[in-house]
Amino acid sequence: MDFKKLASLYKDELLDNVLPFWLEHSQDHEYGGYFTCLDREGKVFDTDKFIWLQSREVWMFSMLYNKVEKRQEWLDCAIQGGEFLKKYGHDGNYNWYFSLDRSGRPLVEPYNIFSYTFATMAFGQLSLTTGNQEYADIAKKTFDIILSKVDNPKGRWNKLHPGTRNLKNFALPMILCNLALEIEHLLDETYLRETMDTCIHEVMEVFYRPELGGIIVENVDIDGNLVDCFEGRQVTPGHAIEAMWFIMDLGKRLNRPELIEKAKETTLTMLNYGWDKQYGGIYYFMDRNGCPPQQLEWDQKLWWVHIETLISLLKGYQLTGDKKCLEWFEKVHDYTWEHFKDKEYPEWYGYLNRRGEVLLPLKGGKWKGCFHVPRGLYQCWKTLEEIKNIVS
């Protein structure tokens, strides 16, 4: 495998194709913030602004400015988005709305914990980029609110009747694994370690199930037991695999090789479990008992699932040298570049049907923004460069 050539492929795709698309088409120069609902060519088809996607784009351009190159256009893009969020994104007490109209008026109340997690990420990274203390304070205050909500992330918007079937979901501890490293510069060392340890325990001891062959489930009850219902049987391969590169990063940061090894093995297990043996690609949702999943889109092939898998496989190979990671990387890389990359216009498709045909030609929407594709290209490029330096 030519690691040098592959590193260039990912780097060029990021810098020459994907980032220019978002810089040119997503910025709202009149009201601030970003449009995320962009059609195949980049034309805006809906002007609502979703807080978690606004935050992800602020984070993306701040991070690239910090780690890749001090480009003024990246900084300007990040700051204008951050200022829009600071002004309109929350209720005044850092309770972050889910969505706003184009001018910044709230549409959907603060019910979604991910509005908070990505706002924390955005302002944490923006504070690093600018040295602005106000941004750092916003990140810290929001992080405190997240930790206070951990036991009930939806608060008064929780639709579940209390007491009958109290479930906890994999998404929050998974995101916190990444968030802890993202805002490390803002947290007290003891506090940081506690957060990391809790997240690692939840992901790798509670949701990871050795009795199911080492897969990760999406929901367990409050005591960490498996539950036999739609949510309790749900397996989301992409989610589990994405979490594994967060865990590998933590394993590296904490110097815990056994954690890295377990995360690498889980990546391979989940990929083998979630791979569509007939048409290729990774299923979106599965049922651990083989029952019909409740999500009608269960068999769609999604961009983020495949891109996150590429990151985990490369990190798994880089950190453990396991050749199985490389074999799988080649297979997933070929599928991803063949099916998700638009050969005519910039940025990538997000949604394919089971057979790998484009289901929606959009480049951004309510759930797809300037995040998984550019972050994935960046992570793969950097990891491939590190591998190349070791190999050569």
Side-chain angles (χ1 to χ4, degrees):
M1 198 177 285
D2 188 338
F3 294 114
K4 188 179 177 186
K5 194 175 163 190
L6 271 172
S8 296
L9 177 73
Y10 281 87
K11 177 186 178 182
D12 295 346
E13 184 68 14
L14 174 68
L15 300 180
D16 303 339
N17 175 358
V18 172
L19 292 176
F21 174 88
W22 291 102
L23 277 171
E24 184 184 341
H25 298 296
S26 77
Q27 294 191 79
D28 184 346
H29 295 295
E30 190 177 344
Y31 287 98
Y34 315 106
F35 301 117
T36 58
C37 298
L38 303 171
D39 71 8
R40 187 182 176 195
E41 297 171 40
K43 288 200 280 291
V44 178
F45 66 85
D46 194 288
T47 58
D48 288 354
K49 291 171 180 170
F50 307 95
I51 296 302
W52 67 318
L53 295 182
Q54 301 289 312
S55 298
R56 285 170 158 196
E57 191 155 345
V58 171
W59 174 84
M60 193 74 235
F61 281 101
S62 304
M63 184 277 288
L64 292 166
Y65 183 84
N66 280 338
K67 295 189 174 171
V68 177
E69 199 183 317
K70 300 276 183 276
R71 289 196 193 180
Q72 190 62 41
E73 57 183 356
W74 293 352
L75 182 62
D76 294 343
C77 180
I79 290 174
Q80 72 87 359
E83 286 296 314
F84 179 82
L85 277 173
K86 184 180 90 177
K87 195 169 177 184
Y88 301 112
H90 57 90
D91 64 358
N93 294 313
Y94 304 107
N95 292 302
W96 297 85
Y97 297 114
F98 179 75
S99 59
L100 315 170
D101 73 4
R102 184 183 174 186
S103 65
R105 291 177 306 183
L107 290 171
V108 178
E109 290 285 352
Y111 81 95
N112 190 304
I113 196 80
F114 300 110
S115 298
Y116 294 74
T117 57
F118 289 109
T120 305
M121 254 172 92
F123 284 101
Q125 194 66 229
L126 199 54
S127 75
L128 269 182
T129 309
T130 58
N132 182 328
Q133 186 55 41
E134 189 186 7
Y135 295 152
D137 292 341
I138 294 173
K140 278 206 290 225
K141 282 174 188 159
T142 306
F143 190 65
D144 287 338
I145 295 172
I146 293 167
L147 293 185
S148 74
K149 287 175 175 285
V150 163
D151 292 331
N152 189 8
K154 288 198 172 177
R156 65 189 175 92
W157 287 276
N158 199 334
K159 290 180 287 197
L160 298 177
H161 185 78
T164 309
R165 186 191 285 154
N166 292 335
L167 297 177
K168 57 180 181 179
N169 182 270
F170 177 66
L172 190 55
M174 166 208 166
I175 290 285
L176 291 177
C177 285
N178 183 234
L179 194 55
L181 282 176
E182 273 294 326
I183 59 165
E184 192 173 342
H185 60 289
L186 300 175
L187 300 179
D188 164 79
E189 179 67 26
T190 319
Y191 191 44
L192 178 71
R193 282 297 174 116
E194 280 174 15
T195 307
M196 286 178 179
D197 288 344
T198 306
C199 297
I200 291 167
H201 167 73
E202 288 277 302
V203 171
M204 301 309 280
E205 307 294 335
V206 178
F207 291 93
Y208 170 86
R209 309 305 295 200
E211 75 272 36
L212 298 176
I215 63 168
I216 283 177
V217 296
E218 198 71 13
N219 297 286
V220 291
D221 74 12
I222 293 302
D223 300 319
N225 301 310
L226 293 171
V227 184
D228 188 6
C229 65
F230 275 126
E231 290 81 9
R233 293 190 304 267
Q234 182 183 326
V235 177
T236 316
H239 230 181
I241 295 170
E242 179 183 359
M244 290 308 103
W245 74 259
F246 299 166
I247 295 288
M248 287 184 226
D249 281 358
L250 283 171
K252 195 173 164 185
R253 163 75 175 74
L254 301 168
N255 194 22
R256 289 180 55 185
E258 83 294 343
L259 191 60
I260 293 170
E261 180 63 29
K262 188 173 177 182
K264 179 265 295 177
E265 278 303 314
T266 307
T267 298
L268 295 172
T269 300
M270 288 303 308
L271 183 49
N272 204 35
Y273 183 87
W275 187 258
D276 182 344
K277 313 289 188 286
Q278 189 176 354
Y279 293 104
I282 303 161
Y283 289 116
Y284 190 11
F285 295 111
M286 299 175 79
D287 184 292
R288 63 181 168 82
N289 288 351
C291 303
Q294 68 172 328
Q295 295 87 357
L296 304 180
E297 68 276 25
W298 68 275
D299 65 347
Q300 287 177 21
K301 309 290 162 65
L302 267 70
W303 84 107
W304 68 266
V305 173
H306 293 74
I307 288 164
E308 298 301 330
T309 300
L310 291 171
I311 302 172
S312 289
L313 289 167
L314 282 178
K315 286 187 186 256
Y317 175 68
Q318 180 210 351
L319 296 168
T320 71
D322 189 334
K323 291 282 201 301
K324 288 200 288 290
C325 291
L326 267 196
E327 288 161 22
W328 264 114
F329 172 77
E330 211 163 352
K331 195 170 173 178
V332 180
H333 166 92
D334 289 347
Y335 182 91
T336 304
W337 284 77
E338 175 59 37
H339 292 87
F340 289 102
K341 181 174 162 55
D342 184 344
K343 311 288 190 289
E344 291 176 55
Y345 295 99
E347 243 287 344
W348 289 19
Y349 298 121
Y351 303 89
L352 313 175
N353 66 18
R354 184 179 171 190
R355 292 182 297 281
E357 299 154 347
V358 176
L359 197 57
L360 293 169
L362 58 77
K363 296 300 173 55
K366 185 175 179 176
W367 310 109
K368 182 179 189 287
C370 177
F371 189 63
H372 286 285
V373 175
R375 182 179 73 168
L377 292 169
Y378 167 79
Q379 286 284 348
C380 289
W381 158 35
K382 289 297 178 186
T383 310
L384 283 160
E385 283 206 332
E386 286 180 33
I387 295 168
K388 176 197 83 181
N389 294 338
I390 298 164
V391 172
S392 49

